[in-house]
């Protein structure tokens, strides 16, 4: 990927860097010393600048607010997938049938105005949500919780209506963040209506406070608390966040973002395309991603991208058809077309092959996968799993001059345990088995010319969009007549819920904790509503009795138990045989950092955390990122 | 023809040559058999320009030359459809308003004025972003056409108003011809000369609008148009990876096509006014 | 005084040069109204433009010159073709044809008057004083001073023509050229305008050149006149003399075609059309339409010569046909 | 009295124009399947993985009620006309619920207006000045050159001009910020400085394209006017070229250009949307794009209504001052 980026661009830039580095970079545009300011990108600007109350709708939490200021009950180690207490002192202690839970509160956390954070704040927060219908999840909280009471200053008793084994998983952070954020009782109890309280000068438990913000909503400047040792991060780790200031800023479109990064005007970008990484790393040696060299990206984002079928429609409701589509596609080509071959194959439906999930589920399932057979309908069978993908991709990329490790474990970590075979003949048989007919003019279904409508989400997630376009390309080459459409999220969200699509490039997938309940609970067949109506989950409308039984069995099992794990394994086998979602790669994220001013970002060499700047775990990364010098 | 060549000004000639060249690319070269240019991995990726691939290949292994030809074809088709609808509707509404007068004229003109005043881009963004799911070349053109008729109809109306005063129309009127007949036999020839220049103008602005939407990522995903080609190359970072052979041709083609059409329009108008002056 | 010497002009066209004026020589004296008559397309306007020194592409002077000379405020001046522009409005001014559209439609008349006054005049007085001068001048011409505040479109055609004449004469130029001053106006208004021109000339004692296709106009106002045919003069002399005793057959036909009081006979126009300047006939250009023409006329160009003092005619038979025709006219 | 009728008629047209435009805008987004509630749920879901089915159901219900999407279309329309058009109250923004749309637009409107007004006026002035030179002094080499430049720049698609400017002046030369950052805190001087820095590139790109058009149209207009009788006659009257250019050619052709200015405002607004998006300039354009992508009906309505009202009003004002510059209308 290190193609020559011509002198035309590089030379003037280097000259520019030499001449202007000293002056330009002494201060940031908001008037803080550049060397004390960590500049982080936010993906969307806010239209409500100065609004920091997470319980007022419209607050842009990803603007550093939940990364640096919010107090979560339980936080997450994104590398191991294990939760730990933040405001809570540890995991909840539940009774036998999971209806009463004791939560101990961590001592030593203080709000930024000096008040101690204790059980009063936690109880107040729960009750505030439950008694304010204007807060989005209010109804849900009322359905789940019977009561939340204070036992003593640092102990809370939570009673749930039904058995609720996953309190921490549901109300603590797993992916990105969580809607439950503890608010200071002494402030919020004074407010008449918490749903319209902007909280422009927030009192927080996190390590940073707001120093200034842009009234146009493009940046927020945070300053480290003087008493950071009493912040959540201070209380949990005892370490000081290194940057005195953090400027969270909206950078703009891709062109602008890479130019800003190359010019050292920003230290961390959220997510870019591999083409941008190629350019940025070539133009500025200080820019790197999770891996210093190929494949650059981390493959541990817990949302695998692939194609989703609308299974309430014919012939998409037929597993033979779905398997036909699977085998009709050359995954090697798709992979190259998405991100030049970067990414870990995530062949299991629904479950993403993050490093942790690969260890927990994929590798143990490998013997079963290799033995798995499909009946092609004409008496023949095929074993569709292809373990050769990692080696093949390594060869292909080596031939292009990339430095690829030859160690098998490393290769499997890089490219996954395997993918589905490219077997057009078998695919054809499966389509015939599913009732399609191949005529001279093309494929027919029920005597009608057959066309596949494919949709992808245009405004976001290049990986998913490119994946679907690559799939379109494959199906067209296979001989299908396909339409390709991109939809804005506004349109897609409605179409996905009402089932108004046939094949979509979407990611109803996940996998971060050992317990899979959160990932699979939405696939309960009881949630299916007719096409045109909006249900609660199950946009894909996968009607599988066995899977539903497993989901329901799991709901009452402790997430830490072996039983939950076994049920998860079983679910995967059922799903594989039925193929409700065809996964391509795990979430591949190119998250570049610039070590001109700051260094020791989490990386493959030093994976103390995932590179998820936009998740609430960012506050634990701030203690590790250190200034250059 | 010879007298045309003699009288045509340099602009008209240059514009005509450029436009004909693009028509040739879009409607003659286009029909030379070639692989579906959209299809990925047809060729090795990122080839430099060569005799086999005049502009090399893209990061997805598509031939840039054939993409460009197809893009020119589609962009021109969109432009022509929009221009056709806009001109026909515009001329019709304009003539109707201009000749009927009275209340109908008032109503038609208020509606026309509305469409002149409404900022078109936000509504195009709105409509395309909502209907992208089903957008095709034709649909795209129809949406763009919503805003293409208002301006011509205003102009045609004032043309009609001034023509109405001229003698030959009165004569026709008095000799018992009906309004429609007068319009067809006496007015339309005038309007048509004007329409030709408007047609080119509308083509130009339709292609521009489509490109703008494409650059915002709102053009149909598998529609190969000049705007989309630029957008795809931008998405794959062709500017910074120096794949000028990829992003360059659609940009240059757009500019040249636009300048060509523009020269054609202004040259044609000059030519007309010169002819009238004689 | 305007003196034209061997003047030839032509228009450049794609199909070659079109020679409009061929070797003209004549003089216009001080303190007279000189008329130029002729059918449309005979070169009247071209001559006038050349006199006024409006030489724009595609027109050009092939030979000869126009000399403008005289005396103003005690100073002698003399300009020839190419320099006459410098004398515009001070020594020579111009009342154009199509007077309806020659005023700036969106500015008031006062500013258009002010525009025409040279800077050096304006410097010596205030704007109000200048305007007062203009207003008084208008009143002298029996025009309302309120006109100064009007826009051109608010005036009738005749009024506009009067204003333009006022504009052209305000600076008391030595020569005023008027191109079809009465065309497109109704008879009553025409008479008013002509009276105004005559009165002005009498007061200013200057030279006035009136171009008109209307022989009646010439009869009324001019002292001397020339009759043009196809780019050169057919006849030139005192107006009364010409009307009393036309010599050139063309002149005769023009005058014969005029209506007279008490005459009820049907007037016939001159048969045929003037020749195309792109392809003029050899010899006398009037020959194809002339009832008296013979072989000589068709081959030899007649000389424009003084047949008696102050009377010039371009006809081979200037001396001969005179008597026959007078008889014919009398019958 | 005739003038009063002219004014009255214009105002009536103005009101009708706005009403038709706004009605169009109201119904278009509602004819499509997109739904702000689904969109919001989708957003929550896509950032934090799967959502609990129970939670999704309850969230959907509460959002529907809060967003006021329960009433019939007609009821919504009537209440919109009442509140939106008469009081400029478009209700809460759905993407930033419950902040009122008006509050958000108020923050951004001045920037868009400022950019648009400045560039429109400057490009109009500069373009007409150059166009006049080119049309009035056709034969001069410099006018031909300027016209040639205009012909080459004007048809270039807007975003290409913007992109080139951004790469050259912001990235390679570093003279201007890559994205428009306006510092709203820290005093007036800092604000103005940052505003200028942020506006120059977007402004210049709008200027380039806009000016091109004015040059071209003014050139052809003044070229025609320069051949009219009254200009020729002015020359025969011995007027200086400067005087003729200014008082005869310019004044007569500018009348048409003033009308064209009003008519072009809609296009200018579209151009400014592209600028704002490419340069990240804070303004109504970016707001509209975001609102559309997140199907924030109220915001879309608010932004487009305001722009329609603004453009229609600008046209009205131009039409009303038109008689001042064209006496023919004033006195007839």
């Amino acid at each position: 990927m290190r193609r020559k980026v011509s002198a035309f661009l590089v030379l003037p830039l280097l000259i520019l860097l030499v001449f202007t580095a000293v002056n330009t970079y002494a201060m940031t545009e908001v008037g803080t010393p550049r060397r004390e300011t960590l500049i982080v990108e936010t993906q969307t600007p806010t239209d409500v600048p100065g609004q920091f109350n997470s319980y007022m709708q419209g607050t842009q939490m990803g603007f550093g607010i939940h990364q640096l200021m919010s107090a979560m009950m339980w936080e997450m180690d994104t590398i191991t997938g294990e939760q730990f207490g933040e405001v809570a002192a540890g995991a909840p202690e539940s009774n036998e049938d999971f209806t009463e839970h004791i939560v101990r509160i961590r001592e030593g956390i203080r709000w930024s105005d000096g008040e101690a954070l204790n059980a009063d704040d936690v109880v107040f927060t729960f009750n505030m949500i439950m008694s304010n219908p204007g807060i989005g999840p209010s109804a849900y909280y009322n359905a789940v919780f019977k009561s939340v009471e204070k036992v003593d200053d640092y102990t809370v008793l939570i009673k749930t209506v039904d058995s609720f084994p996953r309190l921490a998983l549901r109300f603590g952070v797993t992916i990105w963040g969580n809607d439950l954020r503890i608010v200071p009782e002494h402030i919020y109890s004074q407010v008449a209506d918490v749903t319209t309280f902007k909280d422009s000068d927030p009192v927080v438990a996190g390590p940073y406070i707001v120093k200034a913000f842009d009234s146009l909503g493009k940046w927020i400047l945070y300053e480290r608390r003087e008493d950071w040792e009493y912040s959540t991060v201070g209380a949990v780790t005892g370490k000081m966040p290194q940057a005195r200031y953090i400027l969270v800023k909206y950078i703009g479109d891709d062109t602008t973002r890479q130019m800003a990064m190359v010019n050292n005007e920003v230290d961390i970008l959220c997510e870019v395309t591999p083409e941008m990484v190629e350019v940025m790393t070539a133009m500025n040696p200080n820019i790197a991603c999770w891996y210093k060299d190929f494949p650059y990206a981390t493959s541990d984002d817990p949302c695998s991208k692939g194609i989703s079928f609308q299974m309430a429609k014919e012939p998409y409701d037929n597993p033979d058809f779905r398997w036909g589509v699977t085998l009709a596609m050359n995954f090697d080509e798709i992979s190259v077309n998405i991100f030049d071959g970067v990414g870990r194959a995530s062949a299991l439906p629904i479950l993403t092959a993050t490093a942790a999930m690969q260890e927990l589920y994929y590798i143990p399932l490998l013997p079963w996968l290799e033995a798995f057979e499909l009946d092609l309908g004409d008496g023949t069978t095929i074993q569709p799993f292809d373990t050769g993908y990692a080696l093949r991709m390594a060869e292909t990329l080596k031939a292009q001059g990339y430095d690829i490790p030859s160690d098998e474990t490393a290769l499997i970590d890089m490219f996954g345990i395997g993918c589905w075979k490219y077997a057009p003949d078998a695919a054809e048989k499966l389509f015939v088995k599913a009732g399609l007919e191949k005529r001279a003019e093309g494929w027919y279904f029920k005597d009608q010319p057959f066309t596949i409508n494919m949709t992808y989400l245009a405004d976001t997630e290049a990986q998913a969009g490119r994946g679907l376009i690559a799939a379109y390309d494959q199906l067209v080459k296979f001989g299908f007549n396909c339409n390709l459409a991109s939809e804005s999220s506004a349109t897609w969200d409605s179409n996905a819920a009402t089932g108004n699509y046939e094949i979509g490039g979407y990611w109803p997938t996940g996998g971060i904790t050992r317990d899979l309940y959160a990932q699979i609970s939405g696939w309960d067949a009881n949630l299916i509503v007719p096409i045109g109506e909006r249900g609660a989950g199950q946009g894909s409308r996968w009607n599988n009795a066995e899977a539903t039984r497993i989901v329901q069995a799991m709901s009452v099992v402790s997430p830490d138990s072996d039983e939950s794990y076994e049920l998860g394994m079983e679910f995967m086998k059922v799903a594989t045989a039925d193929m409700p979602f065809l996964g391509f790669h795990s979430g591949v994220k190119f998250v570049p950092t610039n070590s001109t001013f700051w260094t020791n970002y989490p990386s493959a060499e030093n994976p103390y955390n995932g590179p998820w700047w936009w998740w609430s775990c960012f506050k634990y990364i701030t203690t590790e990122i250190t200034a250059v010098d | 023809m010879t007298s045309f060549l003699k009288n045509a000004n340099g602009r008209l000639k240059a514009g005509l040559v450029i436009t004909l060249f693009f028509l040739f690319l879009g409607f003659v070269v286009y029909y030379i058999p070639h692989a579906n240019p959209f299809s990925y991995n047809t060729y090795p990726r990122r080839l430099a320009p060569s005799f086999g691939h005049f502009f090399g290949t893209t990061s997805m292994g598509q031939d840039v030359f054939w993409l460009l030809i197809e893009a020119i074809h589609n962009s021109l088709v969109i432009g022509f459809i929009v221009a056709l609808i806009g001109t026909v509707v515009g001329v019709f509404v304009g003539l109707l308003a201009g000749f009927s007068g009275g209340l109908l004229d008032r109503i038609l003109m208020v509606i026309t004025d509305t469409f002149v005043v409404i900022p078109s881009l936000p509504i195009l963004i709105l409509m395309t972003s909502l209907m992208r799911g089903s957008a095709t070349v034709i649909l795209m053109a129809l949406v763009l056409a919503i805003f293409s008729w208002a301006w011509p109809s205003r102009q045609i109306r004032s043309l009609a108003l001034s023509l109405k005063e001229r003698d030959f129309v009165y004569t026709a009127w008095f000799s018992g011809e009906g309004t429609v007949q007068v319009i067809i036999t006496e007015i339309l020839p005038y309007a048509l000369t004007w329409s030709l220049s408007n047609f080119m103008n509308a083509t130009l602005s339709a292609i521009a609008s489509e490109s703008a939407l494409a650059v915002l990522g709102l053009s149909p995903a598998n529609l190969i148009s000049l705007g989309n080609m630029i957008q795809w190359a931008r998405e794959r970072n062709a500017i910074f990876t120096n794949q000028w052979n990829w992003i360059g041709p659609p940009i240059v083609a757009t500019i040249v096509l636009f300048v060509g059409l523009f020269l054609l329009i202004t040259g044609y108008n000059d030519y007309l006014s010169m002819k009238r002056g004689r | 005084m305007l003196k034209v010497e061997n003047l030839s002009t032509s228009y450049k066209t794609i199909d070659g040069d079109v020679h409009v004026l061929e070797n003209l020589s004549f003089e216009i004296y001080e303190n007279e109204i000189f008329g130029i008559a002729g059918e449309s397309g005979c070169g009247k306007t071209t001559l006038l433009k050349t006199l006024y020194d409006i030489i724009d592409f595609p027109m050009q002077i092939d030979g000869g010159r126009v000399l403008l000379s005289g005396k103003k405020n005690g100073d002698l001046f003399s300009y020839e073709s190419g320099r006459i522009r410098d004398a515009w409005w001070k020594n020579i001014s111009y009342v154009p044809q199509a007077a309806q559209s020659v005023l700036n439609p969106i500015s008031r008349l006062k500013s258009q008057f002010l525009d025409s006054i040279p800077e050096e005049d304006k410097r010596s007085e205030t704007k109000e004083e200048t305007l007062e001068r203009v207003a008084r001048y208008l009143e002298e011409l029996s025009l309302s001073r309120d006109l100064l505040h009007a826009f051109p479109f608010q005036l009738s055609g005749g009024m506009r023509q009067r204003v333009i004449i006022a504009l052209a004469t305000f600076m008391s130029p030595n020569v005023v050229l008027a191109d079809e001053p009465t065309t497109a106006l109704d008879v009553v208004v025409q008479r008013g305008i002509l009276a105004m021109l005559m009165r002005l000339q009498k007061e200013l004692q200057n030279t006035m050149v009136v171009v008109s296709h209307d022989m009646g106009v010439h009869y009324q106002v001019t002292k001397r006149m020339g009759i043009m045919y196809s780019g050169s003069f057919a006849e030139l002399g005192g107006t009364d003399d010409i009307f009393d005793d036309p010599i050139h057959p063309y002149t005769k036909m023009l005058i014969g075609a005029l209506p007279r009081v008490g005459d009820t006979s049907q007037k016939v126009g001159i048969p045929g059309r003037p020749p195309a300047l792109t392809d003029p006939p050899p010899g006398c250009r009037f020959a194809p339409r002339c009832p008296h023409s013979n072989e000589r006329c068709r081959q030899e160009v007649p000389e424009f010569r003084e047949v008696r003092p102050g009377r010039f005619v371009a006809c081979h038979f200037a001396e001969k046909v005179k008597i026959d025709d007078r008889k014919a006219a009398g019958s | 009295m005739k003038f009063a009728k002219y004014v009255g008629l214009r105002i009536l047209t103005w009101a009708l124009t706005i009403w038709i435009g706004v009605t169009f805008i109201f119904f278009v987004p509602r004819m499509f399947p997109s739904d702000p509630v689904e969109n919001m749920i989708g957003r929550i879901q896509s950032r934090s993985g799967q959502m609990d089915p129970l939670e999704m159901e309850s969230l959907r219900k509460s959002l529907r009620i809060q967003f006021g999407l329960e009433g019939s279309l007609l009821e919504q329309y009537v209440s919109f006309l009442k509140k939106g058009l008469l009081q400029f109250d478009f209700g809460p923004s759905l993407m930033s619920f419950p902040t009122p749309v008006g509050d958000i637009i108020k923050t951004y409107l001045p920037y868009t207006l400022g950019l648009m007004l400045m560039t429109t006026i400057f490009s109009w002035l500069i373009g007409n000045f150059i166009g006049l030179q080119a049309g009035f002094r056709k034969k001069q080499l410099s006018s031909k050159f300027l016209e040639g430049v205009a012909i080459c720049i004007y048809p270039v698609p807007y975003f290409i001009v913007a992109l080139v400017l951004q790469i050259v002046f912001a990235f390679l030369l570093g003279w201007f910020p890559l994205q428009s950052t306006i510092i709203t805190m820290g005093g007036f001087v800092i604000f103005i400085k940052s505003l200028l820095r942020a506006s120059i590139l977007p402004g210049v790109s709008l200027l380039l394209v806009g000016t091109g058009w004015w040059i071209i149209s003014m050139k052809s207009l003044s070229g025609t006017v320069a051949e009219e009788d009254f200009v020729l006659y002015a020359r025969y009257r011995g007027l200086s070229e400067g005087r003729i250019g200014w008082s005869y050619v310019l004044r007569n052709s500018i009348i048409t250009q003033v009308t064209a200015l009003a008519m072009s405002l809609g296009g200018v607004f579209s151009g400014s949307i592209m600028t704002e998006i490419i340069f990240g300039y804070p303004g109504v354009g970016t707001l509209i794009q975001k609102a559309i992508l997140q199907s924030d009906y109220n915001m879309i309505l608010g932004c487009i209504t305001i722009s329609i009202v603004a453009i229609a009003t600008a046209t009205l004002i131009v039409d009303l001052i038109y008689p001042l510059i064209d006496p023919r209308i004033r006195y007839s």
Side-chain angles (χ1 to χ4, degrees), chain C residues 61-124:
Chain C
I61 294 185
D62 297 327
R65 61 169 189 167
V66 177
L67 189 73
L68 168 70
S69 59
K71 193 176 184 184
K72 187 170 186 185
N73 302 334
D75 297 329
L76 286 170
F77 63 87
S78 171
Y79 298 95
E80 66 174 278
S81 292
R83 309 293 326 165
I84 296 178
R85 283 161 192 259
D86 301 336
W88 279 356
W89 235 246
K90 287 193 303 262
N91 305 117
I92 184 165
S93 67
Y94 175 64
V95 176
Q97 201 175 353
Q100 308 311 313
S101 57
V102 299
L103 289 174
N104 186 353
I106 56 164
S107 59
R108 292 178 198 274
L109 292 174
K110 62 178 174 188
S111 77
Q112 309 207 31
F113 268 96
L114 287 176
D115 282 346
S116 286
I117 296 169
E119 282 304 312
E120 54 267 28
D121 286 19
K122 281 189 215 163
R123 237 171 274 143
S124 58

Side-chain angles (χ1 to χ4, degrees), chain A residues 47 57 170 216 218 249 534, chain D residues 38 55 66 97 108 280:
Chain A
D47 293 317
Q57 286 184 44
R170 178 57 197 84
L216 295 169
K218 292 177 92 177
K249 183 176 160 188
R534 296 161 208 279
Chain D
E38 285 317 311
E55 183 177 6
Q66 285 175 21
F97 192 84
Y108 295 103

Side-chain angles (χ1 to χ4, degrees), chain A residues 18-136:
Chain A
V18 172
F19 283 109
T20 56
V22 184
N23 291 326
T24 315
Y25 299 131
M27 299 297 273
T28 63
E29 61 205 336
V30 294
T32 55
R34 180 65 176 97
R35 298 198 171 277
E36 294 180 23
T37 314
L38 178 69
I39 304 180
V40 186
E41 179 194 27
T42 184
Q43 286 164 309
T44 30
T46 177
D47 293 317
V48 282
Q51 179 175 318
F52 299 107
N53 173 5
S54 63
Y55 293 101
M56 179 169 171
Q57 286 184 44
T59 308
Q60 200 85 49
M61 299 309 296
F63 216 130
I65 298 173
H66 89 140
Q67 293 105 307
L68 301 173
M69 302 200 300
S70 292
M72 319 303 290
M73 286 302 287
W74 294 275
E75 260 292 355
M76 167 96 165
D77 180 330
T78 56
I79 293 296
T80 61
E82 279 163 22
Q83 282 191 312
F84 59 90
E86 181 171 283
V87 168
E93 299 152 23
S94 306
N95 64 357
E96 196 69 355
D97 63 351
F98 300 106
T99 51
E100 288 187 15
H101 319 261
I102 295 286
V103 176
R104 303 201 186 276
I105 307 300
R106 186 182 293 275
E107 295 185 40
I109 303 180
R110 285 186 202 160
W111 296 102
S112 53
D113 60 357
E115 289 265 338
L117 187 160
N118 58 28
D120 289 330
D121 298 304
V122 176
V123 171
F124 173 80
T125 305
F126 270 96
N127 288 316
M128 177 186 84
I129 296 172
M130 289 162 73
S131 57
N132 269 295
I135 295 175

